[in-house]
Amino acid sequence: MNRWLALFCMLSILGGAYSYYTPISVGANALTTMSTSLKTISTTVGNYYVSLNLARTKIFAALNDLTQYVNVTYGAFNTTYGANQPLLNSFMSTVGYLNQSVAQGDNQVTQGIINDFTSLSQYLQQSIDTILQSFSSLSSITYNTNGDNCTLRNATQMANVPNDLVNLGTCLQVESDQITAIVPNVLNIIGTVKSDLILLNNQLKICSSQSPSCITEYFNELWQEYSAFQMELYLLQSVVSSAQQDATDRNRFCGDLTKADVQDDIQNLMMAVSSCMYPSS
């Protein structure tokens, strides 16, 4: 109790307790708005990254299923025909490369999600720091006769500045919807690739076991057909990579716009308070 009395007396000596209390009270209301905004953003960010991770899980589960089919199918071909088909032996190294490519793709996507989250956290932190600094600046410039009135006159504007942060959440919600729209298309591509491979591999059944020329012809052509399959996977990788990079770039852009919006609103607020406190004659 004595500590609070001492603080009250000190504020009174420095220029009036009420003139200190008013900007702090208004700032507290603004902090309440910020808290509400951050809760909204927190929910949206959570949903966004749940959507990203769910998309990653579905896509790479389908890719792993595809690589499993390739490994089993061509492993069986190699066991049955490898001794008499030299081209098949070298072809099996390409099958191993597919496994590595899918694993690397998963790692790249995961790292991209981490980088995206890190960037968004930085943009949000920078905007929050700017807002908090403005509260501190307002408290320091309103210690005069007009301080209380000018602060109260602009209280609504001050309290609304943190609402700009919600714009970041709005952008993320759009990206979440975009993810939901893209995933089925990617899964359809993977399914089509697997279907094409099944059709290609079933063509070996045309050859009689007593027809080595037919079998040799099949494995001679397999390289060319498999190249088309690899091109489909390359295009798939490009689609996924481009979609992820586009989302990251849009989030970065949204973060820059949010920061600019916050800075302009704060500048306008400072000018309004300053003009009120020190009106031109």
Side-chain angles (χ1 to χ4, degrees):
M1 185 66 177
N2 291 335
R3 182 179 301 171
W4 287 107
L5 287 174
L7 177 59
F8 180 83
C9 292
M10 182 179 68
L11 293 175
S12 298
I13 293 172
L14 290 176
Y18 187 72
S19 64
Y20 279 82
Y21 172 78
T22 303
I24 293 174
S25 176
V26 173
N29 291 335
L31 288 175
T32 299
T33 303
M34 181 185 291
S35 175
T36 301
S37 298
L38 291 178
K39 287 180 181 179
T40 300
I41 294 174
S42 175
T43 300
T44 307
V45 169
N47 292 338
Y48 174 59
Y49 286 104
V50 165
S51 297
L52 273 178
N53 192 56
L54 182 60
R56 185 196 67 79
T57 300
K58 287 182 177 180
I59 290 172
F60 283 99
L63 284 173
N64 287 330
D65 174 70
L66 177 62
T67 57
Q68 175 70 10
Y69 170 78
V70 169
N71 289 332
V72 171
T73 300
Y74 292 113
F77 281 3
N78 194 44
T79 299
T80 303
Y81 302 103
N84 299 317
Q85 299 295 330
L87 287 177
L88 181 57
N89 292 325
S90 57
F91 176 80
M92 293 305 297
S93 63
T94 304
V95 173
Y97 174 76
L98 173 62
N99 297 329
Q100 297 176 7
S101 179
V102 171
Q104 290 172 355
D106 195 0
N107 291 335
Q108 289 174 356
V109 168
T110 301
Q111 188 59 50
I113 294 175
I114 294 173
N115 293 339
D116 188 28
F117 180 74
T118 300
S119 296
L120 285 170
S121 299
Q122 291 173 347
Y123 291 129
L124 185 58
Q125 184 63 58
Q126 290 166 3
S127 295
I128 292 173
D129 289 345
T130 301
I131 294 173
L132 293 178
Q133 182 59 46
S134 73
F135 295 165
S136 176
S137 299
L138 280 172
S139 298
S140 65
I141 68 173
T142 53
Y143 296 153
N144 72 7
T145 305
N146 296 327
D148 294 326
N149 292 332
C150 292
T151 301
L152 289 172
R153 184 179 299 179
N154 294 279
T156 300
Q157 184 179 354
M158 182 178 182
N160 285 338
V161 171
N163 283 331
D164 292 339
L165 299 176
V166 178
N167 293 331
L168 191 59
T170 301
C171 291
L172 292 182
Q173 183 57 57
V174 173
E175 293 303 328
S176 293
D177 296 338
Q178 183 71 358
I179 293 169
T180 302
I182 289 175
V183 170
N185 295 332
V186 174
L187 295 178
N188 285 337
I189 294 174
I190 298 173
T192 299
V193 170
K194 184 176 180 180
S195 296
D196 289 346
L197 269 179
I198 291 174
L199 291 175
L200 171 64
N201 297 328
N202 283 340
Q203 286 185 317
L204 181 59
K205 296 178 181 179
I206 296 174
C207 298
S208 166
S209 60
Q210 304 301 317
S211 177
S213 297
C214 180
I215 295 174
T216 297
E217 182 65 21
Y218 176 86
F219 286 111
N220 286 343
E221 295 290 336
L222 185 60
W223 274 104
Q224 181 177 348
E225 298 296 334
Y226 192 78
S227 295
F229 154 73
Q230 287 180 306
M231 181 58 68
E232 287 181 287
L233 284 185
Y234 175 77
L235 293 175
L236 173 66
Q237 181 181 9
S238 298
V239 169
V240 173
S241 178
S242 296
Q244 185 175 26
Q245 187 59 52
D246 287 347
T248 299
D249 289 343
R250 285 192 295 268
N251 289 338
R252 184 183 300 113
F253 186 41
C254 185
D256 287 335
L257 293 177
T258 299
K259 287 194 299 181
D261 206 24
V262 167
Q263 290 169 351
D264 283 348
D265 282 350
I266 288 174
Q267 183 178 4
N268 293 335
L269 174 62
M270 293 295 187
M271 291 176 61
V273 173
S274 180
S275 297
C276 175
M277 292 180 60
Y278 309 103
S280 58
S281 54

